[in-house]
Structures are given as C-alpha cells and as structure tokens.
Amino acid sequence: MTKNDYLSQITSVVNDTQFIMNRNTSPIRPLSDQAIIEVVLDTPYNQYPEDQEAKFKEAYADYNGFDAANVAVANGSDEWIQKLIIQFGKGGVLADAPDFFMYEDYSKQLGYAFHSIAANENYAFSASAIIHGLDQYKPSILFISNPHNPTGQQFSSLFLQNIADACQARDIIFVIDEAYVEFADTYDRPKNSNVVYIRTLSKIYGIAGLRVGIALAEGAVYDKLVEINHPYPMNSLSLNLASKLFEDRAKLDDWIDYQKDLQIQLAKAFHQVADLIDIVPSKTNFVFMYGDNVDAFVTFLTGRGYIGRTYETDGIVTAARFSIIDKKDYPQLTATIKEWRDQFNNERTANERNQY
Ligand SMILES: Cc1ncc(COP(=O)(O)O)c(C=O)c1O
C-alpha cells in the first residue's frame, strides 16, 4: 500500500467552516475505519483489562528504544502531572513561565505552593535563573516542557543537564514534559535518577481523545510514582487502539512523516509575516508569535475561521499560538495570511503618504 492509499483510508471528522488550531492536536485520525472496527471487535471489554497494558508498553517501548520496565501509562500526561505533584509536590512546585498551565492548576488543586521563573521579553529562559529559583523557593519538584509549550522552542541538552544536576544536588524531582518531542531534534537527554520524562499519544500520534499518557522513570522514583496507580490504570479499548498504531511500522512511519510535513507547512505559512510579527522558531506542531501586530492578525484569522490560542496582557492580545491543520487546507491558510500581509502593507503605505 502506498502512503497516499493509506492516508486516503482515514476519514476526518472536521468542521469545514472552522479550523481548530488552539489544541495542538492532529487534524485527522491515524486509524482507518476498518482498523478501528477490528480493534473494537477484538477487545474483550466485558472483562477487566488484563494483558492489554503490557502489550501496549512493549510496543511503545520497542518503537521508542526504551525498556518497557521504565514505562508507565495513565489517562493522558495530564494524569501524570497530577500524580507527580501528589507524590513529589508537597514541598512546593516550580516551573518556568509561561509553560503548560496544568502544572499550576494541579498544584492549586492540591493546595501546594506554586512558583514560576519568568522568561525574558523575547521568551528566552535562563538556566541560571531557574537554578536560582530552586534555592529561592526550595520546591520539591520542577516542571519544564521540552520542546516548550507555548513558545515551541527546544532547550539545549546543556541547559537541561545543568538544571537536572542542580535538582539532583538539592534532592528535587525534575520533570521534563516531552509532549512534542517527536517533532523536535533528537538530543542528549539527562539521565539523572531524579529526572522523570512524560510523553503523550495526544500529539504526533493523533489520539488525544483516547487519553494515553506515558511516564518514564527509574528505580525508587518509578516505584513511588506508580504507588498510587489504580489497579487498571487505563481502559482496554484505548490501550488496544494505541497498540494498533505500532503494529505496522511502515504505516506509522508514514503517519509521523505526514505530521512532520504539516509542521513544516505551518511554519512556512506563518513565515510570510515574520517581518511584521515576532515568530519563535518552532520544534513542535504549533507556532508562537508575539508583538504589536498580533492582535490585528489574530482578529483577521479568527474572522476567517482559524481559531488559535491567544495570551492576553492587560486585556490586549500580545501573543498567540496556532497549531497544525490538514495538508489540504494549507493553500487557503497561506493565501489568507498573504491577504492580511498585503492589506497591512497597503494601510501602512497609505498612512505614510498621509504623513507627508
Ligand atoms: C506540554 C504539555 N504537556 C502535557 C499536555 C497534556 O497532554 P495529554 O493529552 O497527554 O494529557 C499538553 C497538552 O496540550 C501539553 O502541551
């Protein structure tokens, strides 16, 4: 089967008038209707899940080069964030800012102190400022997403290693949230025993609704983390649908290529306004932009049905994030962005003329 045959078997459930670009999810589903039916019929969902979890862990670990003994599953990485804070967050939670809002949300849910270390005005982070924060706030756990949500930047191995070592010296758990790692460059990942990685099948794998989240940890940290697991951490249908993705490696490779192609096309479409709006180079399935013209740009895109995520300061939109759409929709997005750009330039020229 060629790549196009495979992708043409996938039905998309989309709203034609709006493009959901605020959730960083896949615009289409990775399994054909036939594959979904087979899995559903083969799943003994009248019974409690038995070997489905082990089977999925093997498949996931094998594809990603991990030891299945270090892999734990839960309902989305959201659940891992909550469990990590329950088990390790009592002394306080630290994160960079901005970052994924659930780090703060779960800390508050549990009544634990939450502190953050802000980026500079260009959304760059300093490892030494974060390490300084470890001494200032004395948290028991630190969260950083890499690649980073919302900016899309990827931190260097050195940046992460310095923070991992500093956390280890202070007996702090360091969580590297790799929700978008499959879109990024491969990097040397800190191997310290106090580092926990979390990953998800909601992003590049395209199954956000099935809620499959991964934690990777070792030794005593792994044991403490899974100590509060339910007897059946995930349902058998989600596990079996997730396992199905790994059954045919050629199809999965095509799927990953397709997602990465969407990432490239998204960056290209938005690059058209890179001289008018600050756009952070992205290693994820979304682009992040900030600056004075973002408000007008987002208003225009929203009017055309492109729904992004906005970040407001004092009621004014100063930053926005837009994630991938389906391949067939890029020509229209590209033309829409160009239209805004032309309109912006015409207005600017007219204004300049009026000043003389
Ligand atoms: C950085 C980051 N971590 C975790 C999550 C949650 O993912 P999941 O669907 O696995 O709960 C997201 C979702 O947007 C995210 O951006």
Side-chain angles (χ1 to χ4, degrees):
M1 193 188 292
T2 68
K3 181 184 288 195
N4 285 340
D5 289 341
Y6 156 56
L7 290 172
S8 70
Q9 284 181 3
I10 295 170
T11 51
S12 14
V13 189
V14 289
N15 170 345
D16 282 342
T17 54
Q18 276 200 340
F19 299 94
I20 302 303
M21 302 177 79
N22 57 0
R23 304 301 291 275
N24 307 343
T25 45
S26 169
I28 63 168
R29 305 187 296 188
L31 293 169
S32 68
D33 291 358
Q34 189 55 38
I36 294 167
I37 291 166
E38 278 169 25
V39 174
V40 174
L41 294 179
D42 284 349
T43 300
Y45 55 81
N46 52 321
Q47 303 293 350
Y48 287 106
E50 289 299 342
D51 50 359
Q52 291 89 356
E53 183 182 330
K55 188 178 158 208
F56 169 72
K57 281 187 193 175
E58 282 296 337
Y60 180 83
D62 191 40
Y63 185 74
N64 287 288
F66 301 134
D67 182 343
N70 300 126
V71 174
V73 294
N75 295 281
S77 42
D78 274 341
E79 188 177 329
W80 283 124
I81 296 166
Q82 187 186 43
K83 285 193 152 116
L84 281 157
I85 296 175
I86 290 172
Q87 290 299 75
F88 301 106
K90 211 169 184 173
V93 180
L94 186 69
D96 51 337
D99 205 318
F100 188 47
F101 71 100
M102 292 312 294
Y103 310 148
E104 181 171 358
D105 206 83
Y106 285 127
S107 305
K108 296 209 165 129
Q109 233 181 47
L110 290 154
Y112 294 162
F114 177 86
H115 296 284
S116 59
I117 306 297
N120 72 12
E121 67 281 8
N122 300 317
Y123 292 93
F125 291 94
S126 140
S128 55
I130 292 170
I131 293 168
H132 178 72
L134 299 177
D135 291 328
Q136 187 179 358
Y137 298 114
K138 303 198 180 332
S140 46
I141 190 165
L142 167 72
F143 284 87
I144 294 180
S145 57
N146 186 54
H148 180 250
N149 181 7
T151 65
Q153 66 190 290
Q154 178 169 6
F155 297 117
S156 71
S157 297
L158 184 65
F159 176 97
L160 294 168
Q161 189 62 59
N162 285 341
I163 295 173
D165 292 343
C167 284
Q168 183 152 19
R170 293 161 179 79
D171 206 14
I172 295 168
I173 294 290
F174 178 26
V175 182
I176 303 182
D177 180 345
E178 296 188 324
Y180 304 94
V181 74
E182 299 85 358
F183 289 98
D185 298 334
T186 51
Y187 70 105
D188 277 334
R189 306 159 80 234
K191 295 186 177 61
N192 310 50
S193 59
N194 62 313
V195 176
V196 177
Y197 291 91
I198 54 175
R199 289 187 171 199
T200 180
L201 273 74
S202 299
K203 306 302 177 185
I204 209 164
Y205 293 101
I207 56 170
L210 298 177
R211 312 302 299 128
V212 186
I214 308 288
L216 298 162
E218 287 179 14
V221 174
Y222 179 96
D223 293 344
K224 184 154 171 72
L225 184 57
V226 299
E227 199 176 78
I228 54 168
N229 274 1
H230 298 290
Y232 302 105
M234 283 190 56
N235 76 77
S236 52
L237 199 50
S238 287
L239 286 166
N240 281 352
L241 285 164
S243 292
K244 186 77 178 170
L245 299 178
F246 297 91
E247 236 169 53
D248 185 332
R249 288 290 172 91
K251 274 189 190 172
L252 182 54
D253 290 346
D254 283 352
W255 173 259
I256 304 275
D257 285 352
Y258 165 79
Q259 293 284 323
K260 289 188 175 170
D261 187 38
L262 300 186
Q263 174 189 27
I264 292 167
Q265 299 212 35
L266 181 79
K268 260 196 206 152
F270 280 88
H271 185 71
Q272 296 179 104
V273 291
D275 57 337
L276 303 178
I277 286 171
D278 286 303
I279 299 180
V280 179
S282 175
K283 296 290 179 182
T284 61
N285 63 354
F286 55 81
V287 286
F288 181 80
M289 60 210 70
Y290 59 98
D292 292 343
N293 298 327
V294 167
D295 192 9
F297 184 47
V298 168
T299 304
F300 182 85
L301 289 180
T302 308
R304 297 301 177 86
Y306 296 100
I307 312 301
R309 169 95 150 78
T310 52
Y311 301 85
E312 294 185 6
T313 313
D314 298 332
I316 304 159
V317 177
T318 51
R321 196 192 68 193
F322 285 83
S323 61
I324 49 172
I325 53 176
D326 195 9
K327 193 168 183 156
K328 67 175 177 13
D329 298 319
Y330 278 102
Q332 192 184 323
L333 174 67
T334 303
T336 306
I337 293 175
K338 182 174 182 309
E339 192 185 330
W340 180 77
R341 197 200 143 74
D342 292 346
Q343 193 176 303
F344 184 94
N345 282 338
N346 289 343
E347 278 168 20
R348 187 161 57 181
T349 312
N351 284 343
E352 280 165 5
R353 242 187 242 124
N354 287 343
Q355 281 172 8
Y356 288 106

